[in-house]
Amino acid sequence: MCGIVGIISKEEVNIKDSLLGLLKRLEYRGYDSAGIGFINNNKIQLIKKKGSIDDLACSIKNNYFSHIGLAHTRWATHGKPSSNNAHPFISQNKKWAIVHNGIVENYLELKKELKNTRYLSQTDSEVIAHLLEKQKASSDIEKVINVCNKLKGSFALLGMLVDKPNTLFIAKRKSPIYIMEGNLEVIVASDTICFEGKGSKYYTLNDDEFCVASLDKLTFYDKAGHQISKHAQVLDNLSYSLSKNEYKHYMLKEIMEESDVVSNIIKEYSKNRFTEFNKKFLEKVDNIVIIGCGTAYHAGLIGARFFEKHVNIDSTCEIASEFRYSDKKIKPSNLYIFISQSGETADTLACLELVKRFGGLCVGITNVMHSTLAKNVDICLNVCAGIEVAVASTKAYIAQLVVLYMLSRHFEGQLRNLQIDYMKDVEKLRLSLQKTTFTDIDEIASLISKKQSVTFIGRDIDYSSSLEASLKLKEVSYISSFACPSGELKHGYLAQVDSNVCVIVLATNQKLLDKTLNNASEVEARGGKVVICSPFKTQDKFIKIEIQDIDSDLICCLVASKLQYLAYKTSIIKNINPDKPRNLAKSVTVE
Ligand code: F6R
């Protein structure tokens, strides 16, 4: 989703290079246009372009020197990707420039309020610049606060004013924004990843808080305009490795890092594990409700099965965008677990807000411990995956599964007064991930890259794994892909099967193996190509993806890793950049 950066520098810098360098670090978020704005010769200058940051860089032939600038990557919501719709936006009197991440839900209403205004874009954001111009107030920050108080929806907002060439105005509601104060510069950004190598301390704003940033001081305000104080936070170095090392793509690098991620988890959770969840507390829990979107939702589906299998507590997983508008009862006696790699997904955060209103205990499972999710849950568990750059989540999914598994076994131990050595299962998984080879996948990727449609089938946890494998394949290869519970084939899906179709059968549960293999034969008998993904011996007639048998529920991680690689490889064969699939964003901060 949109990314924002801003800079104020003590020395005059080549502002294009400074802004684009920072913006590049936000590239992973997904975008379709980009722009920069800066003050040069007492004028605000904007340069914007549809396409990539590199396209924008190539279009700027001159160097510009300045102390201040802001920049933006846009992921189109209101109005198509174009240079006019790209940020920054400037007020009509050319005094204010702004960049915005979020959605102004009442922008049409606000536009009606402003008479005689000529809009240069179709966006919801531009109205903010014009509103700032029209504000009558005794100070500039008052103007910013007044405008933001009128906005419905979400915003991370960064503004600059031509008369104040050493000041940035910052506002936040439900979209992330961070401020780093260094000796020679202040940097403002949507992700702390922009601060790597620039400084070690940063500030966050809560919703409806504001900041006036200049080189000598940062002043914070609440929405009533009262000054407030804030404590700096320390950057967590563990998360920062933006280098691709020897890998061509982040997605591949991140799949290959999976065993290291499990090592990080072992280190993090080897002592004082889950002490908050003791027997007394767990005995009072009625149901476990897990909430997430996309891949995090799929991890939650498997997590719910772990809890049901190991702990006698009914557990479900809900899609956040559905849950928030459902009539589901929210009970204080339930335990709510929110899963989000980024910790910034708008729908997941909306559910958190909803649950908190009704008093349920909220646990977060995230990869970003300074995220909005982490800050707002009662207990937050770190998945320790390190920064994930590729749009398609891989290593964070594995890490979510491992944390859910450990948590379910911890609950089991507490409730049954047992010492369960579940870390040995995690260690076994780590070793198997380290030993995993992917050579068997190449031929299968080549096969499915020619198919019109690929379906993943399985039973129980294998069905949930099928949903994730199918999402991954469609995300990065654009092949039409489905997941179907094996037992449902006869109830409709078989009508689709012919020689253009490939069915990948997930079979990791020995008890259900024969039934699942019968389903595979049904597909084969109708001309469909069958691939079996299993640790068990199966008929030679089927193509096989070998999975190591680790004799624990964590086998779903080994399946995921192989099928992530299958998706990756297929995207490469189809000449698609797997790190940035079309139309997708890494962090979905709007509804
Ligand atoms: C798919 C993918 C998405 C995310 C979803 C939730 O590969 O990455 O489906 O899982 O957008 O994102 P988070 O986990 O950040 O809440």
Side-chain angles (χ1 to χ4, degrees):
M1 295 255 116
C2 308
I4 288 179
V5 297
I7 186 168
I8 320 169
S9 168
K10 199 165 195 168
E11 285 159 14
E12 232 180 17
V13 289
N14 182 331
I15 197 74
K16 168 190 89 172
D17 289 355
S18 297
L19 289 170
L20 294 182
L22 290 171
L23 212 52
K24 268 285 210 192
R25 299 180 183 204
L26 298 181
E27 217 172 10
Y28 74 91
R29 297 166 75 86
Y31 66 102
D32 37 47
S33 56
I36 62 172
F38 49 88
I39 299 179
N40 189 249
N41 291 329
N42 302 320
K43 273 198 200 129
I44 291 179
Q45 195 157 339
L46 307 182
I47 308 175
K48 319 197 276 187
K49 194 152 178 69
K50 177 180 164 187
S52 70
I53 296 172
D54 290 339
D55 294 339
L56 175 65
C58 287
S59 74
I60 309 175
K61 300 285 175 245
N62 299 329
N63 287 321
Y64 299 92
F65 291 87
S66 174
H67 292 277
I68 186 165
L70 34 82
H72 190 267
T73 45
R74 173 174 186 258
W75 190 79
T77 53
H78 296 74
K80 60 181 194 292
S82 70
S83 53
N84 280 349
N85 287 336
H87 300 217
F89 294 110
I90 192 162
S91 59
Q92 224 160 231
N93 66 1
K94 310 242 182 297
K95 289 199 174 249
W96 283 94
I98 60 110
V99 287
H100 166 234
N101 174 12
I103 287 195
V104 182
E105 286 166 5
N106 57 336
Y107 79 106
L108 290 174
E109 219 174 283
L110 292 169
K111 274 182 164 185
K112 273 194 215 144
E113 258 181 44
L114 289 177
K115 305 272 178 286
N116 304 323
T117 303
R118 202 164 72 88
Y119 291 89
L120 301 175
S121 77
Q122 301 156 309
T123 66
D124 54 331
S125 308
E126 187 185 353
V127 72
I128 301 173
H130 301 305
L131 282 167
L132 284 167
E133 174 185 333
K134 294 284 161 18
Q135 284 305 298
K136 306 247 178 301
S138 55
S139 69
D140 297 317
I141 183 62
E142 227 180 289
K143 292 181 186 173
V144 175
I145 295 174
N146 289 348
V147 168
C148 288
N149 285 342
K150 283 175 191 260
L151 304 180
K152 288 197 184 130
S154 56
F155 50 82
L157 181 73
L158 186 57
M160 65 183 179
L161 183 59
V162 79
D163 311 326
K164 298 259 171 71
N166 294 311
T167 308
L168 284 171
F169 299 88
I170 306 140
K172 175 195 182 299
R173 186 192 297 155
K174 293 186 176 161
S175 287
I177 192 130
Y178 303 95
I179 305 151
M180 193 219 72
E181 191 184 27
N183 289 337
L184 294 174
E185 59 190 354
V186 172
I187 298 176
V188 183
S190 307
D191 190 328
T192 56
I193 202 168
C194 292
F195 306 153
E196 186 202 12
K198 308 263 179 197
S200 57
K201 289 196 171 156
Y202 68 97
Y203 293 84
T204 57
L205 296 181
N206 294 324
D207 284 349
D208 292 298
E209 287 182 350
F210 301 81
C211 175
V212 177
S214 62
L215 279 170
D216 51 352
K217 68 172 187 256
L218 302 177
T219 317
F220 298 97
Y221 299 86
D222 65 14
K223 68 175 182 180
H226 301 128
Q227 273 194 35
I228 51 173
S229 57
K230 293 236 146 224
H231 295 291
Q233 300 185 22
V234 179
L235 274 181
D236 152 22
N237 289 324
L238 179 89
S239 343
Y240 301 97
S241 170
L242 265 183
S243 146
K244 271 193 245 170
N245 299 336
E246 74 269 29
Y247 298 104
K248 213 165 161 221
H249 297 103
Y250 282 112
M251 185 175 176
L252 180 60
K253 173 179 177 253
E254 288 162 6
I255 296 170
M256 296 304 156
E257 279 172 352
E258 286 170 350
S259 68
D260 295 343
V261 168
V262 178
S263 286
N264 291 343
I265 295 178
I266 294 172
K267 266 187 231 136
E268 174 80 11
Y269 290 91
S270 56
K271 283 188 269 167
N272 299 329
R273 256 176 264 144
F274 310 124
T275 44
E276 306 88 341
F277 305 101
N278 56 31
K279 183 177 170 88
K280 207 166 139 213
F281 166 78
L282 290 169
E283 277 174 345
K284 288 196 219 121
V285 172
D286 272 344
N287 299 302
I288 297 174
V289 182
I290 307 178
I291 296 171
C293 299
T295 291
Y297 164 70
H298 296 154
L301 283 175
I302 296 181
R305 286 294 297 117
F306 291 164
F307 287 114
E308 291 201 322
K309 185 169 164 189
H310 300 295
V311 190
N312 201 9
I313 302 179
D314 283 347
S315 307
T316 52
C317 183
E318 306 283 346
I319 296 173
S321 55
E322 292 290 314
F323 183 84
R324 64 185 290 191
Y325 298 115
S326 72
D327 296 316
K328 297 247 154 78
K329 280 202 190 71
I330 299 172
K331 297 198 285 181
S333 54
N334 288 349
L335 175 66
Y336 291 87
I337 302 180
F338 299 84
I339 308 180
S340 173
Q341 186 282 128
S342 62
E344 300 294 350
T345 299
D347 285 316
T348 309
L349 294 178
C351 293
L352 171 62
E353 212 176 294
L354 193 69
V355 171
K356 281 181 87 170
R357 246 186 275 147
F358 288 88
L361 186 94
C362 298
V363 177
I365 295 185
T366 185
N367 197 25
V368 184
M369 290 303 275
H370 57 261
S371 62
T372 309
L373 179 78
K375 276 195 280 168
N376 288 293
V377 288
D378 300 301
I379 299 165
C380 195
L381 304 175
N382 188 353
V383 301
C384 310
I387 182 155
E388 194 179 64
V389 176
V391 165
S393 187
T394 53
K395 61 177 179 171
Y397 173 70
I398 303 286
Q400 289 159 359
L401 291 174
V402 174
V403 170
L404 285 162
Y405 176 74
M406 295 191 306
L407 198 61
S408 70
R409 302 305 309 265
H410 170 81
F411 285 13
E412 180 187 8
Q414 289 290 310
L415 286 167
R416 297 218 212 133
N417 297 321
L418 293 173
Q419 281 285 342
I420 301 174
D421 186 10
Y422 52 83
M423 284 317 251
K424 77 171 184 332
D425 297 336
V426 180
E427 175 58 17
K428 240 196 254 175
L429 170 70
R430 185 190 71 77
L431 285 172
S432 302
L433 282 168
Q434 211 173 41
K435 281 192 266 163
T436 299
T437 54
F438 297 98
T439 39
D440 51 338
I441 299 294
D442 292 356
E443 192 192 329
I444 303 164
S446 158
L447 170 89
I448 66 172
S449 65
K450 293 176 204 108
K451 296 284 173 194
Q452 270 168 13
S453 159
V454 176
T455 298
F456 295 84
I457 66 168
R459 288 168 189 263
D460 192 18
I461 287 180
D462 284 333
Y463 169 56
S464 304
S465 296
S466 297
L467 287 166
E468 174 55 14
S470 163
L471 176 70
K472 212 90 308 169
L473 183 68
K474 62 167 89 74
E475 260 186 299
V476 301
S477 76
Y478 312 154
I479 291 175
S480 168
S481 160
F482 308 92
C484 180
S486 307
E488 279 288 297
L489 279 187
K490 291 193 195 70
H491 300 287
Y493 175 77
L494 276 182
Q496 292 252 306
V497 174
D498 62 19
S499 59
N500 293 316
V501 163
C502 176
V503 175
I504 301 186
V505 183
L506 278 56
T508 65
N509 183 336
Q510 183 130 42
K511 277 194 237 147
L512 300 172
L513 184 66
D514 289 344
K515 287 184 192 303
T516 306
L517 292 179
N518 283 343
N519 299 132
S521 298
E522 285 159 13
V523 171
E524 200 219 4
R526 286 154 184 88
K529 196 84 197 161
V530 174
V531 175
I532 310 271
C533 181
S534 175
F536 308 119
K537 186 152 175 36
T538 54
Q539 290 126 295
D540 291 339
K541 63 179 177 180
F542 298 129
I543 306 171
K544 188 83 188 286
I545 297 177
E546 287 297 343
I547 302 294
Q548 297 165 69
D549 190 0
I550 52 171
D551 189 29
S552 93
D553 296 338
L554 289 173
I555 195 165
C556 60
C557 298
L558 296 178
V559 170
S561 185
K562 283 271 195 163
L563 297 179
Q564 289 164 356
Y565 186 83
L566 177 67
Y568 168 77
K569 199 68 202 186
T570 311
S571 78
I572 300 302
I573 294 171
K574 295 192 74 189
N575 219 2
I576 292 167
N577 178 353
D579 288 345
K580 289 183 208 147
R582 67 185 178 200
N583 305 334
L584 296 179
K586 179 75 183 159
S587 178
V588 185
T589 52
V590 293
E591 191 176 353

